[in-house]
Each structure stands twice: as C-alpha cells, then as structure tokens.
Amino acid sequence: MLAIYAPIVKETAISFELEPPSETEFRRRITSYQQQMPWLVCEINQEVVGYAYASPYRPRAAYQWSVESSVYVNANYYRKGIAKALYTSLLKLLQLQGFYNVIAAIALPNQPSVALHESVGFLPVGVLRRVGYKFGQWHDNGFWQLALQPESSFLDTGKSVKPPISISETRQLPLWDEALASGLLRLRF
C-alpha cells in the first residue's frame, strides 16, 4: 500500500503530505484506523493494486457519526473499476456500522477523483481556496459529502442517536459478507 501511496505524495498534489510516511508510520495509521473503521485492500494475483479506508472526520465527540474516506489505486490499474469497487464495499460497511456521513477532501483540480466520488453518490459541498502549498503553487481543497443513512434518520425526533458500532461488532452482523462483497461487481477485467 505504501508503494502505491509514496509516488502520489512525491509526484502529485493529490496528497498534501510533502514526504511519504515511513513504513512504521504507515503501519501505525492502519492499526489506529482499523480499530473503528474499515480498511480494505484489493489484490490481484497477490499484488496489492488499491486500498480504501475511512478515518475519523474530526476528533470531537459530536463528529463521531461522520468519517472521511480515501481511496488509492496503483497507476497500472487505473480505469478498471478498482476505486469504485473498493468504495462500494467501504460505504456499505460504514452504513452497516451506523455512520451517517462520509466526507471526501479532494485536492483540486482532480477530475478523475471528482468523477469517482460523484459516481458513487457524493455531492459537492464547498471549496477551500489556496489552502495547500506544494510544488511551488497553491492548491484548493474541495469537499464532497455522502449521506449513508435514510433522510428520515436525520430528522430531529428528540431521540438519541446510537453511536456507530465497531468493526468487530459489524463482522458479526448477517449483512457483513454481502456488504464486503458488494463492490466486486464493479471490477472490470
């Protein structure tokens, strides 16, 4: 996975990191995110060709129903449906867990990422202008949002909303396998 991510950091403004994380730091991120949210990997012939994950949107308690999503694919496997397949499964799992919103932050311009997010239902909600400086120029950061729960669940009913459940609890649900496999039909080989 780091072999996919490192060139994105070094060669593009897609990531606002200036240096790729060390292997130790990358492992720490995976371990810390996996405690509560899915981290999915797509392998083809025992080669990691893409991955997607969710991370906390913000650390304060009132944000616990919202996550930020990310997806990265090996450049040799672009346009084969891998990102859409990973996202389809990731979003289904997050929905099962009880998360309400997914936010995607996209460094702009990045039309392929915008198209991917909009193809799975994300809607544009705003742009922060010139917030990242990389490769000698300023970059905008666009935000897209996807509601995972039915609109009626967002209405103020005076009832408290249950916190999302953990990955280990979600694995016990009857729909786990179906949610995990939901993206497979999106692959094009």
Side-chain angles (χ1 to χ4, degrees):
M1 289 179 286
L2 185 53
I4 292 170
Y5 186 61
I8 290 168
V9 172
K10 289 183 206 174
E11 301 164 13
T12 77
I14 291 170
S15 169
F16 279 6
E17 290 195 78
L18 300 178
E19 296 294 327
S22 68
E23 189 172 319
T24 301
E25 170 58 17
F26 201 73
R27 286 180 193 274
R28 186 201 62 75
R29 292 177 190 181
I30 294 169
T31 302
S32 68
Y33 296 158
Q34 280 184 322
Q35 301 300 316
Q36 183 63 23
M37 291 156 221
W39 187 290
L40 304 179
V41 175
C42 180
E43 290 184 358
I44 297 174
N45 298 324
Q46 299 180 333
E47 177 187 5
V48 174
V49 298
Y51 65 97
Y53 64 94
S55 58
Y57 174 64
R58 295 276 190 268
R60 295 190 174 137
Y63 288 117
Q64 69 183 296
W65 292 272
S66 297
V67 297
E68 187 170 340
S69 62
S70 297
V71 63
Y72 298 99
V73 175
N74 178 316
N76 296 327
Y77 289 88
Y78 285 171
R79 309 213 34 91
K80 298 196 181 303
I82 292 168
K84 191 178 271 191
L86 285 164
Y87 251 10
T88 299
S89 294
L90 179 72
L91 297 172
K92 288 284 189 193
L93 291 172
L94 292 168
Q95 185 178 40
L96 264 181
Q97 284 185 267
F99 288 104
Y100 275 68
N101 295 288
V102 182
I103 290 92
I106 303 172
L108 300 174
N110 187 343
Q111 189 51 42
S113 186
V114 169
L116 166 69
H117 285 85
E118 291 182 355
S119 76
V120 295
F122 282 81
L123 298 172
V125 292
V127 175
L128 300 176
R129 305 280 179 210
R130 298 172 294 283
V131 294
Y133 188 80
K134 190 170 179 180
F135 302 132
Q137 64 185 35
W138 289 100
H139 299 275
D140 297 346
N141 203 354
F143 289 88
W144 275 254
Q145 183 175 350
L146 174 68
L148 293 173
Q149 303 301 332
E151 186 68 30
S152 61
S153 64
F154 285 90
L155 299 176
D156 183 8
T157 61
K159 298 178 189 174
S160 63
V161 179
K162 292 181 184 176
I165 62 175
S166 70
I167 288 292
S168 58
E169 291 173 282
T170 309
R171 282 189 180 129
Q172 306 308 313
L173 298 175
L175 294 175
W176 168 266
D177 289 334
E178 182 181 320
L180 191 59
S182 64
L184 292 176
L185 297 175
R186 303 272 189 179
L187 293 173
R188 294 187 305 270
F189 284 94

